Amino acid sequence: MKNIIFKLISISLIFSILLSSCSSTTIISSIPSQSKLYVNGEFVGKTPYKHKDSKIVGATNTIRLEKEGYDNYISEFSKDEEVHVGAMIGGLFLLVPFLWVMKYKKAHLYELRPISK
């Protein structure tokens, strides 16, 4: 009986590590705040904004920030900024999580410039 419980707990831990290792989250903030945010050409809201996805290592997102009275700001961030420990551990059991071994930095801050007259 103890052996079955141990196996169930082990399997549950493995699956929870594998599932959690696929996604990555970052907070996109701007100066000034409440700027309109477009990720990969799609309006997603205003800053600060919590971006989460399960793209693989090296995936790049293009962002555009817009605010009245400021120049538009265009930049990119990629899923290769920090090592994802959960995916490393998951990769020991299956090779697939190695596709998610990197993650985004916890936060990105962008400063818009006022329109010059």
PDB file of all heavy atoms in Angstrom, residues 33-72:
ATOM      1  N   SER A  33       2.699  55.271 -17.028  1.00  0.00           N
ATOM      2  CA  SER A  33       1.854  54.076 -16.972  1.00  0.00           C
ATOM      3  C   SER A  33       0.571  54.314 -17.749  1.00  0.00           C
ATOM      4  O   SER A  33       0.323  55.417 -18.230  1.00  0.00           O
ATOM      5  CB  SER A  33       1.557  53.689 -15.528  1.00  0.00           C
ATOM      6  OG  SER A  33       0.828  54.716 -14.907  1.00  0.00           O
ATOM      7  N   GLN A  34      -0.218  53.301 -17.850  1.00  0.00           N
ATOM      8  CA  GLN A  34      -1.492  53.333 -18.578  1.00  0.00           C
ATOM      9  C   GLN A  34      -1.300  53.580 -20.075  1.00  0.00           C
ATOM     10  O   GLN A  34      -2.181  54.120 -20.748  1.00  0.00           O
ATOM     11  CB  GLN A  34      -2.453  54.365 -17.975  1.00  0.00           C
ATOM     12  CG  GLN A  34      -2.893  54.036 -16.564  1.00  0.00           C
ATOM     13  CD  GLN A  34      -3.632  52.701 -16.488  1.00  0.00           C
ATOM     14  OE1 GLN A  34      -4.610  52.498 -17.194  1.00  0.00           O
ATOM     15  NE2 GLN A  34      -3.154  51.787 -15.650  1.00  0.00           N
ATOM     16  N   SER A  35      -0.146  53.181 -20.603  1.00  0.00           N
ATOM     17  CA  SER A  35       0.096  53.254 -22.044  1.00  0.00           C
ATOM     18  C   SER A  35      -0.597  52.076 -22.703  1.00  0.00           C
ATOM     19  O   SER A  35      -0.663  50.983 -22.125  1.00  0.00           O
ATOM     20  CB  SER A  35       1.597  53.182 -22.338  1.00  0.00           C
ATOM     21  OG  SER A  35       2.269  54.260 -21.735  1.00  0.00           O
ATOM     22  N   LYS A  36      -1.113  52.279 -23.901  1.00  0.00           N
ATOM     23  CA  LYS A  36      -1.729  51.178 -24.650  1.00  0.00           C
ATOM     24  C   LYS A  36      -0.623  50.206 -25.051  1.00  0.00           C
ATOM     25  O   LYS A  36       0.430  50.611 -25.536  1.00  0.00           O
ATOM     26  CB  LYS A  36      -2.431  51.692 -25.900  1.00  0.00           C
ATOM     27  CG  LYS A  36      -3.661  52.503 -25.622  1.00  0.00           C
ATOM     28  CD  LYS A  36      -4.303  52.943 -26.931  1.00  0.00           C
ATOM     29  CE  LYS A  36      -5.515  53.806 -26.686  1.00  0.00           C
ATOM     30  NZ  LYS A  36      -6.101  54.289 -27.962  1.00  0.00           N
ATOM     31  N   LEU A  37      -0.897  48.912 -24.866  1.00  0.00           N
ATOM     32  CA  LEU A  37       0.108  47.884 -25.156  1.00  0.00           C
ATOM     33  C   LEU A  37      -0.392  46.934 -26.229  1.00  0.00           C
ATOM     34  O   LEU A  37      -1.486  46.390 -26.130  1.00  0.00           O
ATOM     35  CB  LEU A  37       0.431  47.090 -23.881  1.00  0.00           C
ATOM     36  CG  LEU A  37       1.370  45.893 -24.048  1.00  0.00           C
ATOM     37  CD1 LEU A  37       2.754  46.333 -24.519  1.00  0.00           C
ATOM     38  CD2 LEU A  37       1.475  45.126 -22.744  1.00  0.00           C
ATOM     39  N   TYR A  38       0.431  46.745 -27.243  1.00  0.00           N
ATOM     40  CA  TYR A  38       0.176  45.790 -28.313  1.00  0.00           C
ATOM     41  C   TYR A  38       1.281  44.750 -28.265  1.00  0.00           C
ATOM     42  O   TYR A  38       2.464  45.091 -28.269  1.00  0.00           O
ATOM     43  CB  TYR A  38       0.181  46.488 -29.679  1.00  0.00           C
ATOM     44  CG  TYR A  38      -0.906  47.519 -29.834  1.00  0.00           C
ATOM     45  CD1 TYR A  38      -0.748  48.810 -29.326  1.00  0.00           C
ATOM     46  CD2 TYR A  38      -2.097  47.206 -30.479  1.00  0.00           C
ATOM     47  CE1 TYR A  38      -1.749  49.767 -29.455  1.00  0.00           C
ATOM     48  CE2 TYR A  38      -3.108  48.159 -30.614  1.00  0.00           C
ATOM     49  CZ  TYR A  38      -2.920  49.430 -30.099  1.00  0.00           C
ATOM     50  OH  TYR A  38      -3.917  50.373 -30.234  1.00  0.00           O
ATOM     51  N   VAL A  39       0.908  43.483 -28.192  1.00  0.00           N
ATOM     52  CA  VAL A  39       1.872  42.388 -28.221  1.00  0.00           C
ATOM     53  C   VAL A  39       1.663  41.634 -29.520  1.00  0.00           C
ATOM     54  O   VAL A  39       0.556  41.165 -29.805  1.00  0.00           O
ATOM     55  CB  VAL A  39       1.715  41.435 -27.011  1.00  0.00           C
ATOM     56  CG1 VAL A  39       2.682  40.270 -27.113  1.00  0.00           C
ATOM     57  CG2 VAL A  39       1.921  42.188 -25.705  1.00  0.00           C
ATOM     58  N   ASN A  40       2.711  41.560 -30.320  1.00  0.00           N
ATOM     59  CA  ASN A  40       2.663  40.918 -31.635  1.00  0.00           C
ATOM     60  C   ASN A  40       1.514  41.470 -32.485  1.00  0.00           C
ATOM     61  O   ASN A  40       0.801  40.737 -33.152  1.00  0.00           O
ATOM     62  CB  ASN A  40       2.578  39.397 -31.504  1.00  0.00           C
ATOM     63  CG  ASN A  40       3.765  38.840 -30.755  1.00  0.00           C
ATOM     64  OD1 ASN A  40       4.895  39.283 -30.943  1.00  0.00           O
ATOM     65  ND2 ASN A  40       3.527  37.876 -29.895  1.00  0.00           N
ATOM     66  N   GLY A  41       1.330  42.803 -32.419  1.00  0.00           N
ATOM     67  CA  GLY A  41       0.335  43.479 -33.230  1.00  0.00           C
ATOM     68  C   GLY A  41      -1.077  43.472 -32.675  1.00  0.00           C
ATOM     69  O   GLY A  41      -1.964  44.104 -33.228  1.00  0.00           O
ATOM     70  N   GLU A  42      -1.311  42.803 -31.568  1.00  0.00           N
ATOM     71  CA  GLU A  42      -2.658  42.697 -30.990  1.00  0.00           C
ATOM     72  C   GLU A  42      -2.759  43.524 -29.708  1.00  0.00           C
ATOM     73  O   GLU A  42      -1.925  43.396 -28.808  1.00  0.00           O
ATOM     74  CB  GLU A  42      -2.962  41.234 -30.676  1.00  0.00           C
ATOM     75  CG  GLU A  42      -4.334  41.000 -30.111  1.00  0.00           C
ATOM     76  CD  GLU A  42      -4.591  39.521 -29.814  1.00  0.00           C
ATOM     77  OE1 GLU A  42      -4.012  38.656 -30.480  1.00  0.00           O
ATOM     78  OE2 GLU A  42      -5.384  39.261 -28.897  1.00  0.00           O
ATOM     79  N   PHE A  43      -3.783  44.371 -29.623  1.00  0.00           N
ATOM     80  CA  PHE A  43      -3.992  45.156 -28.414  1.00  0.00           C
ATOM     81  C   PHE A  43      -4.348  44.215 -27.270  1.00  0.00           C
ATOM     82  O   PHE A  43      -5.273  43.409 -27.378  1.00  0.00           O
ATOM     83  CB  PHE A  43      -5.113  46.183 -28.622  1.00  0.00           C
ATOM     84  CG  PHE A  43      -5.419  46.980 -27.389  1.00  0.00           C
ATOM     85  CD1 PHE A  43      -4.550  47.949 -26.938  1.00  0.00           C
ATOM     86  CD2 PHE A  43      -6.584  46.747 -26.672  1.00  0.00           C
ATOM     87  CE1 PHE A  43      -4.829  48.689 -25.791  1.00  0.00           C
ATOM     88  CE2 PHE A  43      -6.878  47.473 -25.531  1.00  0.00           C
ATOM     89  CZ  PHE A  43      -5.994  48.447 -25.089  1.00  0.00           C
ATOM     90  N   VAL A  44      -3.603  44.314 -26.167  1.00  0.00           N
ATOM     91  CA  VAL A  44      -3.848  43.420 -25.032  1.00  0.00           C
ATOM     92  C   VAL A  44      -4.277  44.158 -23.775  1.00  0.00           C
ATOM     93  O   VAL A  44      -4.708  43.537 -22.807  1.00  0.00           O
ATOM     94  CB  VAL A  44      -2.607  42.543 -24.730  1.00  0.00           C
ATOM     95  CG1 VAL A  44      -2.330  41.587 -25.875  1.00  0.00           C
ATOM     96  CG2 VAL A  44      -1.390  43.397 -24.418  1.00  0.00           C
ATOM     97  N   GLY A  45      -4.141  45.486 -23.771  1.00  0.00           N
ATOM     98  CA  GLY A  45      -4.537  46.253 -22.593  1.00  0.00           C
ATOM     99  C   GLY A  45      -3.605  47.418 -22.368  1.00  0.00           C
ATOM    100  O   GLY A  45      -2.917  47.876 -23.274  1.00  0.00           O
ATOM    101  N   LYS A  46      -3.597  47.898 -21.136  1.00  0.00           N
ATOM    102  CA  LYS A  46      -2.741  49.023 -20.762  1.00  0.00           C
ATOM    103  C   LYS A  46      -1.728  48.567 -19.722  1.00  0.00           C
ATOM    104  O   LYS A  46      -1.956  47.597 -18.998  1.00  0.00           O
ATOM    105  CB  LYS A  46      -3.583  50.180 -20.224  1.00  0.00           C
ATOM    106  CG  LYS A  46      -4.466  50.813 -21.292  1.00  0.00           C
ATOM    107  CD  LYS A  46      -5.172  52.037 -20.758  1.00  0.00           C
ATOM    108  CE  LYS A  46      -5.967  52.694 -21.887  1.00  0.00           C
ATOM    109  NZ  LYS A  46      -6.590  53.946 -21.440  1.00  0.00           N
ATOM    110  N   THR A  47      -0.627  49.296 -19.662  1.00  0.00           N
ATOM    111  CA  THR A  47       0.420  48.964 -18.705  1.00  0.00           C
ATOM    112  C   THR A  47       0.037  49.480 -17.318  1.00  0.00           C
ATOM    113  O   THR A  47      -0.656  50.490 -17.228  1.00  0.00           O
ATOM    114  CB  THR A  47       1.763  49.579 -19.131  1.00  0.00           C
ATOM    115  OG1 THR A  47       1.624  50.991 -19.209  1.00  0.00           O
ATOM    116  CG2 THR A  47       2.238  49.014 -20.438  1.00  0.00           C
ATOM    117  N   PRO A  48       0.446  48.800 -16.264  1.00  0.00           N
ATOM    118  CA  PRO A  48       1.202  47.551 -16.269  1.00  0.00           C
ATOM    119  C   PRO A  48       0.327  46.370 -16.700  1.00  0.00           C
ATOM    120  O   PRO A  48      -0.871  46.335 -16.429  1.00  0.00           O
ATOM    121  CB  PRO A  48       1.665  47.391 -14.827  1.00  0.00           C
ATOM    122  CG  PRO A  48       0.702  48.196 -14.015  1.00  0.00           C
ATOM    123  CD  PRO A  48       0.195  49.299 -14.901  1.00  0.00           C
ATOM    124  N   TYR A  49       0.964  45.414 -17.369  1.00  0.00           N
ATOM    125  CA  TYR A  49       0.248  44.276 -17.942  1.00  0.00           C
ATOM    126  C   TYR A  49       1.024  42.993 -17.634  1.00  0.00           C
ATOM    127  O   TYR A  49       2.238  42.938 -17.790  1.00  0.00           O
ATOM    128  CB  TYR A  49       0.133  44.459 -19.458  1.00  0.00           C
ATOM    129  CG  TYR A  49      -0.508  43.296 -20.170  1.00  0.00           C
ATOM    130  CD1 TYR A  49      -1.884  43.116 -20.152  1.00  0.00           C
ATOM    131  CD2 TYR A  49       0.270  42.371 -20.857  1.00  0.00           C
ATOM    132  CE1 TYR A  49      -2.470  42.041 -20.805  1.00  0.00           C
ATOM    133  CE2 TYR A  49      -0.308  41.301 -21.513  1.00  0.00           C
ATOM    134  CZ  TYR A  49      -1.672  41.143 -21.476  1.00  0.00           C
ATOM    135  OH  TYR A  49      -2.252  40.082 -22.123  1.00  0.00           O
ATOM    136  N   LYS A  50       0.312  41.967 -17.197  1.00  0.00           N
ATOM    137  CA  LYS A  50       0.925  40.665 -16.914  1.00  0.00           C
ATOM    138  C   LYS A  50       0.807  39.797 -18.162  1.00  0.00           C
ATOM    139  O   LYS A  50      -0.287  39.411 -18.556  1.00  0.00           O
ATOM    140  CB  LYS A  50       0.231  39.986 -15.736  1.00  0.00           C
ATOM    141  CG  LYS A  50       0.867  38.695 -15.311  1.00  0.00           C
ATOM    142  CD  LYS A  50       0.162  38.152 -14.077  1.00  0.00           C
ATOM    143  CE  LYS A  50       0.803  36.882 -13.586  1.00  0.00           C
ATOM    144  NZ  LYS A  50       0.150  36.390 -12.368  1.00  0.00           N
ATOM    145  N   HIS A  51       1.947  39.505 -18.785  1.00  0.00           N
ATOM    146  CA  HIS A  51       1.972  38.683 -20.004  1.00  0.00           C
ATOM    147  C   HIS A  51       2.381  37.265 -19.623  1.00  0.00           C
ATOM    148  O   HIS A  51       3.363  37.058 -18.921  1.00  0.00           O
ATOM    149  CB  HIS A  51       2.973  39.263 -21.004  1.00  0.00           C
ATOM    150  CG  HIS A  51       3.127  38.425 -22.229  1.00  0.00           C
ATOM    151  ND1 HIS A  51       2.213  38.465 -23.261  1.00  0.00           N
ATOM    152  CD2 HIS A  51       4.056  37.517 -22.585  1.00  0.00           C
ATOM    153  CE1 HIS A  51       2.595  37.618 -24.199  1.00  0.00           C
ATOM    154  NE2 HIS A  51       3.708  37.030 -23.806  1.00  0.00           N
ATOM    155  N   LYS A  52       1.613  36.287 -20.099  1.00  0.00           N
ATOM    156  CA  LYS A  52       1.906  34.885 -19.815  1.00  0.00           C
ATOM    157  C   LYS A  52       1.700  34.080 -21.088  1.00  0.00           C
ATOM    158  O   LYS A  52       0.719  34.276 -21.799  1.00  0.00           O
ATOM    159  CB  LYS A  52       0.975  34.355 -18.720  1.00  0.00           C
ATOM    160  CG  LYS A  52       1.243  32.921 -18.318  1.00  0.00           C
ATOM    161  CD  LYS A  52       0.351  32.509 -17.163  1.00  0.00           C
ATOM    162  CE  LYS A  52       0.647  31.094 -16.734  1.00  0.00           C
ATOM    163  NZ  LYS A  52      -0.141  30.684 -15.579  1.00  0.00           N
ATOM    164  N   ASP A  53       2.646  33.195 -21.388  1.00  0.00           N
ATOM    165  CA  ASP A  53       2.480  32.296 -22.523  1.00  0.00           C
ATOM    166  C   ASP A  53       3.296  31.030 -22.304  1.00  0.00           C
ATOM    167  O   ASP A  53       4.033  30.919 -21.335  1.00  0.00           O
ATOM    168  CB  ASP A  53       2.840  32.973 -23.856  1.00  0.00           C
ATOM    169  CG  ASP A  53       4.305  33.328 -23.976  1.00  0.00           C
ATOM    170  OD1 ASP A  53       5.176  32.555 -23.537  1.00  0.00           O
ATOM    171  OD2 ASP A  53       4.596  34.401 -24.539  1.00  0.00           O
ATOM    172  N   SER A  54       3.138  30.077 -23.199  1.00  0.00           N
ATOM    173  CA  SER A  54       3.865  28.806 -23.088  1.00  0.00           C
ATOM    174  C   SER A  54       4.697  28.558 -24.342  1.00  0.00           C
ATOM    175  O   SER A  54       4.874  27.422 -24.755  1.00  0.00           O
ATOM    176  CB  SER A  54       2.892  27.654 -22.827  1.00  0.00           C
ATOM    177  OG  SER A  54       1.934  27.588 -23.865  1.00  0.00           O
ATOM    178  N   LYS A  55       5.214  29.621 -24.935  1.00  0.00           N
ATOM    179  CA  LYS A  55       6.066  29.498 -26.113  1.00  0.00           C
ATOM    180  C   LYS A  55       7.368  28.801 -25.738  1.00  0.00           C
ATOM    181  O   LYS A  55       7.765  28.763 -24.574  1.00  0.00           O
ATOM    182  CB  LYS A  55       6.356  30.880 -26.692  1.00  0.00           C
ATOM    183  CG  LYS A  55       5.113  31.553 -27.240  1.00  0.00           C
ATOM    184  CD  LYS A  55       5.456  32.908 -27.804  1.00  0.00           C
ATOM    185  CE  LYS A  55       4.215  33.554 -28.403  1.00  0.00           C
ATOM    186  NZ  LYS A  55       4.508  34.881 -28.935  1.00  0.00           N
ATOM    187  N   ILE A  56       8.067  28.282 -26.748  1.00  0.00           N
ATOM    188  CA  ILE A  56       9.310  27.556 -26.493  1.00  0.00           C
ATOM    189  C   ILE A  56      10.505  28.512 -26.422  1.00  0.00           C
ATOM    190  O   ILE A  56      10.387  29.702 -26.741  1.00  0.00           O
ATOM    191  CB  ILE A  56       9.559  26.461 -27.559  1.00  0.00           C
ATOM    192  CG1 ILE A  56       9.714  27.079 -28.943  1.00  0.00           C
ATOM    193  CG2 ILE A  56       8.453  25.427 -27.523  1.00  0.00           C
ATOM    194  CD1 ILE A  56      10.172  26.083 -30.000  1.00  0.00           C
ATOM    195  N   VAL A  57      11.649  27.977 -26.057  1.00  0.00           N
ATOM    196  CA  VAL A  57      12.893  28.737 -25.928  1.00  0.00           C
ATOM    197  C   VAL A  57      13.161  29.538 -27.200  1.00  0.00           C
ATOM    198  O   VAL A  57      13.022  29.032 -28.308  1.00  0.00           O
ATOM    199  CB  VAL A  57      14.077  27.778 -25.659  1.00  0.00           C
ATOM    200  CG1 VAL A  57      15.400  28.508 -25.758  1.00  0.00           C
ATOM    201  CG2 VAL A  57      13.937  27.132 -24.301  1.00  0.00           C
ATOM    202  N   GLY A  58      13.559  30.800 -27.013  1.00  0.00           N
ATOM    203  CA  GLY A  58      13.921  31.646 -28.136  1.00  0.00           C
ATOM    204  C   GLY A  58      12.771  32.376 -28.792  1.00  0.00           C
ATOM    205  O   GLY A  58      12.980  33.223 -29.653  1.00  0.00           O
ATOM    206  N   ALA A  59      11.539  32.082 -28.397  1.00  0.00           N
ATOM    207  CA  ALA A  59      10.379  32.768 -28.983  1.00  0.00           C
ATOM    208  C   ALA A  59      10.474  34.255 -28.651  1.00  0.00           C
ATOM    209  O   ALA A  59      10.806  34.641 -27.537  1.00  0.00           O
ATOM    210  CB  ALA A  59       9.084  32.186 -28.443  1.00  0.00           C
ATOM    211  N   THR A  60      10.191  35.093 -29.639  1.00  0.00           N
ATOM    212  CA  THR A  60      10.295  36.539 -29.472  1.00  0.00           C
ATOM    213  C   THR A  60       8.931  37.187 -29.616  1.00  0.00           C
ATOM    214  O   THR A  60       8.131  36.798 -30.467  1.00  0.00           O
ATOM    215  CB  THR A  60      11.264  37.126 -30.512  1.00  0.00           C
ATOM    216  OG1 THR A  60      12.553  36.534 -30.333  1.00  0.00           O
ATOM    217  CG2 THR A  60      11.392  38.627 -30.371  1.00  0.00           C
ATOM    218  N   ASN A  61       8.663  38.160 -28.778  1.00  0.00           N
ATOM    219  CA  ASN A  61       7.425  38.938 -28.832  1.00  0.00           C
ATOM    220  C   ASN A  61       7.781  40.381 -29.159  1.00  0.00           C
ATOM    221  O   ASN A  61       8.686  40.956 -28.559  1.00  0.00           O
ATOM    222  CB  ASN A  61       6.709  38.904 -27.480  1.00  0.00           C
ATOM    223  CG  ASN A  61       6.232  37.522 -27.133  1.00  0.00           C
ATOM    224  OD1 ASN A  61       5.305  37.015 -27.739  1.00  0.00           O
ATOM    225  ND2 ASN A  61       6.879  36.896 -26.169  1.00  0.00           N
ATOM    226  N   THR A  62       7.048  40.967 -30.091  1.00  0.00           N
ATOM    227  CA  THR A  62       7.217  42.377 -30.422  1.00  0.00           C
ATOM    228  C   THR A  62       6.150  43.164 -29.680  1.00  0.00           C
ATOM    229  O   THR A  62       4.986  42.772 -29.671  1.00  0.00           O
ATOM    230  CB  THR A  62       7.058  42.595 -31.938  1.00  0.00           C
ATOM    231  OG1 THR A  62       8.020  41.795 -32.612  1.00  0.00           O
ATOM    232  CG2 THR A  62       7.268  44.045 -32.301  1.00  0.00           C
ATOM    233  N   ILE A  63       6.563  44.254 -29.048  1.00  0.00           N
ATOM    234  CA  ILE A  63       5.594  45.088 -28.344  1.00  0.00           C
ATOM    235  C   ILE A  63       5.610  46.499 -28.922  1.00  0.00           C
ATOM    236  O   ILE A  63       6.616  46.968 -29.434  1.00  0.00           O
ATOM    237  CB  ILE A  63       5.848  45.146 -26.824  1.00  0.00           C
ATOM    238  CG1 ILE A  63       7.181  45.821 -26.528  1.00  0.00           C
ATOM    239  CG2 ILE A  63       5.776  43.790 -26.204  1.00  0.00           C
ATOM    240  CD1 ILE A  63       7.253  46.333 -25.114  1.00  0.00           C
ATOM    241  N   ARG A  64       4.458  47.138 -28.828  1.00  0.00           N
ATOM    242  CA  ARG A  64       4.330  48.548 -29.206  1.00  0.00           C
ATOM    243  C   ARG A  64       3.546  49.235 -28.095  1.00  0.00           C
ATOM    244  O   ARG A  64       2.494  48.754 -27.669  1.00  0.00           O
ATOM    245  CB  ARG A  64       3.598  48.689 -30.535  1.00  0.00           C
ATOM    246  CG  ARG A  64       3.530  50.140 -31.025  1.00  0.00           C
ATOM    247  CD  ARG A  64       2.917  50.252 -32.410  1.00  0.00           C
ATOM    248  NE  ARG A  64       1.459  50.182 -32.337  1.00  0.00           N
ATOM    249  CZ  ARG A  64       0.696  49.240 -32.903  1.00  0.00           C
ATOM    250  NH1 ARG A  64       1.259  48.271 -33.599  1.00  0.00           N
ATOM    251  NH2 ARG A  64      -0.607  49.272 -32.788  1.00  0.00           N
ATOM    252  N   LEU A  65       4.099  50.329 -27.606  1.00  0.00           N
ATOM    253  CA  LEU A  65       3.443  51.126 -26.569  1.00  0.00           C
ATOM    254  C   LEU A  65       3.023  52.454 -27.175  1.00  0.00           C
ATOM    255  O   LEU A  65       3.798  53.087 -27.901  1.00  0.00           O
ATOM    256  CB  LEU A  65       4.400  51.374 -25.404  1.00  0.00           C
ATOM    257  CG  LEU A  65       4.797  50.124 -24.615  1.00  0.00           C
ATOM    258  CD1 LEU A  65       6.040  50.381 -23.792  1.00  0.00           C
ATOM    259  CD2 LEU A  65       3.655  49.693 -23.724  1.00  0.00           C
ATOM    260  N   GLU A  66       1.798  52.867 -26.874  1.00  0.00           N
ATOM    261  CA  GLU A  66       1.270  54.134 -27.378  1.00  0.00           C
ATOM    262  C   GLU A  66       0.647  54.919 -26.233  1.00  0.00           C
ATOM    263  O   GLU A  66      -0.045  54.350 -25.386  1.00  0.00           O
ATOM    264  CB  GLU A  66       0.195  53.891 -28.441  1.00  0.00           C
ATOM    265  CG  GLU A  66       0.694  53.202 -29.680  1.00  0.00           C
ATOM    266  CD  GLU A  66      -0.406  52.951 -30.704  1.00  0.00           C
ATOM    267  OE1 GLU A  66      -1.600  53.246 -30.412  1.00  0.00           O
ATOM    268  OE2 GLU A  66      -0.088  52.452 -31.792  1.00  0.00           O
ATOM    269  N   LYS A  67       0.911  56.222 -26.233  1.00  0.00           N
ATOM    270  CA  LYS A  67       0.316  57.115 -25.235  1.00  0.00           C
ATOM    271  C   LYS A  67       0.245  58.501 -25.867  1.00  0.00           C
ATOM    272  O   LYS A  67       1.203  58.958 -26.484  1.00  0.00           O
ATOM    273  CB  LYS A  67       1.177  57.146 -23.963  1.00  0.00           C
ATOM    274  CG  LYS A  67       0.676  58.041 -22.858  1.00  0.00           C
ATOM    275  CD  LYS A  67      -0.203  57.289 -21.913  1.00  0.00           C
ATOM    276  CE  LYS A  67      -0.574  58.173 -20.729  1.00  0.00           C
ATOM    277  NZ  LYS A  67      -1.383  57.491 -19.775  1.00  0.00           N
ATOM    278  N   GLU A  68      -0.894  59.141 -25.728  1.00  0.00           N
ATOM    279  CA  GLU A  68      -1.069  60.470 -26.310  1.00  0.00           C
ATOM    280  C   GLU A  68      -0.025  61.433 -25.743  1.00  0.00           C
ATOM    281  O   GLU A  68       0.209  61.473 -24.534  1.00  0.00           O
ATOM    282  CB  GLU A  68      -2.477  60.989 -26.009  1.00  0.00           C
ATOM    283  CG  GLU A  68      -2.814  62.257 -26.762  1.00  0.00           C
ATOM    284  CD  GLU A  68      -4.249  62.686 -26.575  1.00  0.00           C
ATOM    285  OE1 GLU A  68      -5.128  61.805 -26.405  1.00  0.00           O
ATOM    286  OE2 GLU A  68      -4.480  63.897 -26.591  1.00  0.00           O
ATOM    287  N   GLY A  69       0.623  62.162 -26.644  1.00  0.00           N
ATOM    288  CA  GLY A  69       1.652  63.110 -26.243  1.00  0.00           C
ATOM    289  C   GLY A  69       3.047  62.509 -26.213  1.00  0.00           C
ATOM    290  O   GLY A  69       4.016  63.193 -25.895  1.00  0.00           O
ATOM    291  N   TYR A  70       3.165  61.207 -26.531  1.00  0.00           N
ATOM    292  CA  TYR A  70       4.450  60.511 -26.504  1.00  0.00           C
ATOM    293  C   TYR A  70       4.684  59.791 -27.828  1.00  0.00           C
ATOM    294  O   TYR A  70       3.735  59.386 -28.506  1.00  0.00           O
ATOM    295  CB  TYR A  70       4.492  59.476 -25.369  1.00  0.00           C
ATOM    296  CG  TYR A  70       4.482  60.098 -24.001  1.00  0.00           C
ATOM    297  CD1 TYR A  70       3.278  60.455 -23.399  1.00  0.00           C
ATOM    298  CD2 TYR A  70       5.668  60.341 -23.321  1.00  0.00           C
ATOM    299  CE1 TYR A  70       3.248  61.039 -22.144  1.00  0.00           C
ATOM    300  CE2 TYR A  70       5.649  60.920 -22.058  1.00  0.00           C
ATOM    301  CZ  TYR A  70       4.441  61.264 -21.484  1.00  0.00           C
ATOM    302  OH  TYR A  70       4.428  61.840 -20.240  1.00  0.00           O
ATOM    303  N   ASP A  71       5.963  59.652 -28.195  1.00  0.00           N
ATOM    304  CA  ASP A  71       6.307  58.859 -29.372  1.00  0.00           C
ATOM    305  C   ASP A  71       5.964  57.400 -29.103  1.00  0.00           C
ATOM    306  O   ASP A  71       6.121  56.916 -27.969  1.00  0.00           O
ATOM    307  CB  ASP A  71       7.806  58.961 -29.692  1.00  0.00           C
ATOM    308  CG  ASP A  71       8.207  60.317 -30.242  1.00  0.00           C
ATOM    309  OD1 ASP A  71       7.377  60.949 -30.926  1.00  0.00           O
ATOM    310  OD2 ASP A  71       9.352  60.736 -29.983  1.00  0.00           O
ATOM    311  N   ASN A  72       5.519  56.691 -30.149  1.00  0.00           N
ATOM    312  CA  ASN A  72       5.293  55.253 -30.009  1.00  0.00           C
ATOM    313  C   ASN A  72       6.616  54.572 -29.700  1.00  0.00           C
ATOM    314  O   ASN A  72       7.679  55.000 -30.169  1.00  0.00           O
ATOM    315  CB  ASN A  72       4.692  54.666 -31.277  1.00  0.00           C
ATOM    316  CG  ASN A  72       3.266  55.123 -31.498  1.00  0.00           C
ATOM    317  OD1 ASN A  72       2.638  55.691 -30.622  1.00  0.00           O
ATOM    318  ND2 ASN A  72       2.743  54.863 -32.688  1.00  0.00           N
TER     319      ASN A  72
END
